[in-house]
């Protein structure tokens, strides 16, 4: 008999509502032995969740999700598609305005701080590795992350029926439950009840059209005793910290820090997202000090060796490579790596394999530019409080990563048209820095593009 699992530990707690939904769907579809097939069907059905207002009226296709399968998903929406009672609309509005106001810096911090910090914990890196070898499909990972962040943080994303934040977050929550079910070859509840973590690996050939990611996760298997449940409460809480705390920490590191009330609003809004994702309230910090302490504790706890840590450097290198491909000058090729080192620190860079040699031209551009901008900003702000060369250079880098990774529809994963329109609208809003002097705007135009950041053909794409 295998020893009991410590369910008081958040690594062995998951999401009962979402997990039960997946269990009911697979049982009703009689696809428990080949779960990837039932999950493919479910994935196609929930693609209809585009806007928040869709959730109240959505009904399953009785041919695709008959009987209890459809009722399970409808029950899930009835319980999950509401903001927590403590959600503050004023703070949410403020956080949305901050996201819009920071513009491409939000994207840059996602690529060079939030995602790299996600890869630090070996358990999270292993889940990403299991999810279809994502180090070889970095575009997919970035775009799927953007598909949740943009709708959630844009105006009305969480509070307006026309917004898409709640709809996208609830999709992600079911994706997490699907990952758990596939990797564990069954529900977390059944595994915890039986204590049987040594199930045989019986492989079947996937049916034509099966989503490769679903089948790859099922084949991967998982060592629960050493790694805990995949996508467990601790991992989810840590990931949430990379989206709010690491973002705000990055702003401080770049000397573009926000007032305390704005930081609190940003933390609060992402905690609302966390509640929609099924994260337990006690795992969501309320201020920067407690967020910093929790982040350090969870990162250190995740470093306890439990399983293969090899995926981490591969994921990080793939992310840096994807960013490098978007930059126009050869001298900038290592700037994403250098910026990640600066934002995340040397220890994290070493864990991710980003501590190797970099091109001298990139080092000169990055460190020389960083020192010069800090010197000039420190002097100039005495005369012009809104002046910031740091913001200018972050906008330039952010422009290239935003347009190269999220708005280029020749990439493998095309974003849904409604989300693409939202990104185009936002990028158009970001095209000119209203706080910058005329000479800075002219320099920015020379290093990005003149006028709107959205090409005319893209802006006219049908919705």
């Amino acid at each position: 008999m295998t020893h009991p699992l410590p369910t008081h530990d958040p690594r062995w707690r998951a999401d009962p509502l979402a997990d039960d939904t997946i269990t009911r769907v697979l049982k009703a579809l009689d696809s428990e032995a080949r779960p990837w097939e039932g999950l493919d069907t479910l994935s196609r059905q929930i693609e209809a969740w585009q806007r928040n207002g869709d959730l109240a009226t959505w009904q399953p296709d009785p041919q695709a999700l008959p009987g209890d399968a459809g009722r399970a998903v409808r029950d899930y929406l009835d319980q999950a598609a509401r903001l927590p009672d403590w959600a503050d609309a004023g703070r949410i509005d403020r956080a949305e305005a901050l996201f819009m106001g920071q513009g491409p810096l939000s994207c840059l911090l996602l690529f060079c701080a939030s995602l790299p910090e996600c890869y630090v914990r070996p358990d999270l890196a292993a889940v990403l590795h299991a999810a279809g070898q994502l180090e070889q499909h970095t575009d997919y990972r970035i775009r799927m992350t953007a598909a949740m962040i943009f709708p959630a943080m844009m105006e009305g994303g969480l509070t307006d029926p026309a917004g898409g934040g709640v709809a996208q977050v609830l999709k992600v929550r079911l994706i997490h439950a699907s990952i758990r079910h596939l990797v564990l070859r069954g529900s977390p509840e059944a595994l915890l009840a039986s204590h049987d973590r040594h199930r045989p690996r019986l492989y079947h050939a996937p049916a034509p059209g099966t989503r490769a990611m679903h089948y790859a996760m099922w084949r991967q298997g998982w060592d629960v005793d050493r790694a805990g449940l995949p996508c467990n409460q601790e991992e989810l809480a840590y990931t949430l910290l990379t989206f709010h705390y690491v973002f705000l920490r990055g702003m401080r590191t770049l000397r573009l820090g926000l007032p305390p009330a704005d930081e609190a609003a940003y933390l609060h809004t992402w905690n609302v997202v966390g509640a929609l994702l099924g994260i337990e309230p006690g795992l969501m910090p309320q201020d920067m000090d407690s967020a910093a302490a929790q982040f350090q504790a969870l990162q250190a706890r995740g470093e306890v060796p439990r399983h293969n840590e090899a995926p981490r450097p591969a994921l990080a290198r793939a992310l840096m490579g994807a960013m490098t491909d978007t930059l126009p000058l050869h001298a900038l090729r290592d700037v994403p790596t250098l910026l990640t080192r600066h934002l995340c620190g040397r220890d994290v860079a070493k864990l991710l394999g980003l501590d190797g040699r970099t091109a001298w031209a990139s080092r000169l551009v990055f460190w020389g530019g960083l020192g010069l901008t800090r010197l000039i900003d420190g002097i100039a702000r005495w005369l012009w409080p809104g002046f910031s060369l740091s913001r200018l250079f972050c906008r330039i880098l952010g422009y290239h990563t935003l347009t190269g990774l999220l708005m280029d529809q020749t990439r493998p994963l095309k974003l849904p048209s409604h989300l693409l329109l939202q990104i185009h609208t936002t990028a158009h809003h970001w095209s000119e820095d209203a706080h910058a002097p005329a000479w800075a705007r002219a320099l920015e135009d020379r290093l990005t593009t003149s006028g709107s950041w959205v090409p005319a053909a893209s802006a006219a794409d049908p919705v």
Side-chain angles (χ1 to χ4, degrees):
M1 176 66 69
T2 307
H3 64 274
L5 292 172
T7 53
H8 63 278
D9 188 321
R11 288 177 298 179
W12 279 271
R13 296 201 303 271
D15 180 355
L17 174 60
D19 291 328
D20 180 63
T21 301
I22 296 299
T23 299
R24 288 175 60 188
V25 167
L26 294 179
K27 183 176 181 180
L29 295 179
D30 196 24
S31 61
E32 293 168 292
R34 302 168 70 91
W36 57 88
E37 296 177 351
L39 292 173
D40 286 347
T41 299
L42 176 62
S43 295
R44 287 188 287 269
Q45 284 289 294
I46 66 177
E47 285 173 359
W49 302 353
Q50 303 292 333
R51 296 174 175 84
N52 301 338
D54 297 338
L55 304 179
T57 58
W58 177 86
Q59 293 297 328
D61 179 349
Q63 299 298 317
L65 295 176
D68 194 51
R71 285 193 295 272
V73 182
R74 185 63 258 173
D75 290 346
Y76 167 76
L77 288 179
D78 291 341
Q79 296 179 65
R82 60 171 71 99
L83 301 187
D85 295 339
W86 45 264
D88 185 323
R91 285 185 168 189
I92 293 173
D93 290 345
R94 181 58 188 153
E96 291 170 351
L98 290 169
F99 180 81
M100 290 292 292
Q102 295 308 321
L105 180 56
S106 302
C107 298
L108 194 61
L109 289 173
L110 168 68
F111 301 143
C112 291
S114 296
L115 286 177
E117 292 281 15
C118 274
Y119 301 159
V120 169
R121 282 187 58 121
D123 44 9
L124 276 173
V127 169
L128 295 175
H129 175 77
Q133 302 291 325
L134 286 187
E135 62 267 35
Q136 298 182 23
H137 300 284
T138 307
D139 289 352
Y140 187 96
R141 167 66 177 167
I142 292 173
R143 288 174 175 234
M144 289 300 289
T145 303
M148 184 186 78
I149 291 177
F150 271 84
M153 295 306 295
M154 291 169 66
E155 183 178 0
L158 298 176
T159 56
D160 192 327
V166 178
Q168 296 302 318
V169 170
L170 294 189
K171 286 183 189 178
V172 172
R173 186 172 178 179
L174 282 185
I175 289 172
H176 290 160
S178 298
I179 290 173
R180 284 190 292 271
H181 206 106
L182 286 165
V183 173
L184 297 174
R185 316 250 177 94
S187 72
E189 181 182 9
L191 181 142
L192 293 173
S194 68
H195 303 156
D196 177 13
R197 276 96 71 190
H198 302 287
R199 302 181 179 185
R201 298 189 175 200
L202 302 176
Y203 301 143
H204 303 275
T210 295
R211 299 190 182 201
M213 187 173 71
H214 285 161
Y215 185 64
M217 286 187 289
W218 186 86
R219 285 185 60 96
Q220 179 75 16
W222 195 256
D223 190 334
V224 178
D225 283 307
R226 297 174 65 191
L229 298 174
C231 296
N232 59 58
Q233 282 290 319
E234 185 171 295
E235 290 177 3
L236 294 174
Y238 178 82
T239 303
L240 185 69
L241 284 162
T242 68
F243 289 140
H244 56 30
Y245 165 69
V246 169
F247 171 86
L248 296 171
R249 185 194 67 183
M251 293 288 290
R252 291 181 177 185
T253 302
L254 295 172
R255 300 191 179 179
L256 298 171
L258 302 173
D262 288 349
E263 289 185 333
Y266 204 82
L267 284 168
H268 175 83
T269 300
W270 270 104
N271 282 343
V272 171
V273 174
L276 292 170
L277 280 170
I279 300 175
E280 298 168 1
L283 294 174
M284 295 187 289
Q286 304 301 312
D287 56 62
M288 284 292 285
D289 288 342
S290 57
Q294 183 180 20
F295 184 78
Q296 292 171 4
L298 293 184
Q299 193 169 80
R301 181 171 156 98
E303 276 304 301
V304 177
R306 291 196 297 275
H307 48 75
N308 182 19
E309 301 178 11
R312 295 192 301 190
L315 289 164
R317 285 195 302 269
L319 176 62
M320 295 300 108
M323 292 186 64
T324 299
D325 289 344
T326 69
L327 300 178
L329 300 177
H330 184 73
L332 299 177
R333 67 180 185 180
D334 287 327
V335 167
T337 298
L338 293 167
L339 181 57
T340 300
R341 289 182 190 175
H342 180 57
L343 292 171
C344 299
R346 293 182 179 179
D347 291 342
V348 168
K350 184 176 181 179
L351 290 171
L352 297 177
L354 298 178
D355 56 339
R357 294 181 60 85
T358 52
W360 69 266
S362 294
R363 294 198 302 274
L364 178 63
V365 169
F366 181 78
W367 292 113
L370 183 66
L372 185 62
T373 55
R374 285 184 170 179
L375 176 63
I376 294 174
D377 283 355
I379 297 172
R381 284 175 184 169
W382 286 96
L383 300 175
W384 303 288
F387 180 88
S388 176
L389 278 180
S390 296
R391 187 174 67 246
L392 169 64
F393 292 129
C394 287
R395 282 176 55 84
I396 292 169
L397 284 175
Y399 162 81
H400 289 291
T401 53
L402 173 70
T403 56
L405 289 175
L406 298 184
M407 295 170 59
D408 179 2
Q409 290 298 284
T410 65
R411 301 257 174 178
L413 176 67
K414 293 191 175 185
L415 293 173
S417 57
H418 79 283
L419 176 58
L420 190 61
L421 178 61
Q422 286 181 303
I423 293 178
H424 284 169
T425 302
T426 303
H428 179 75
H429 175 82
W430 287 340
S431 298
E432 182 171 307
D433 186 355
H435 301 289
W439 66 266
R441 292 198 296 269
L443 176 60
E444 181 181 295
D445 285 346
R446 288 182 63 85
L447 296 175
T448 57
T449 187
S450 180
S452 176
W453 285 4
V454 182
S458 297
D461 285 344
V463 181

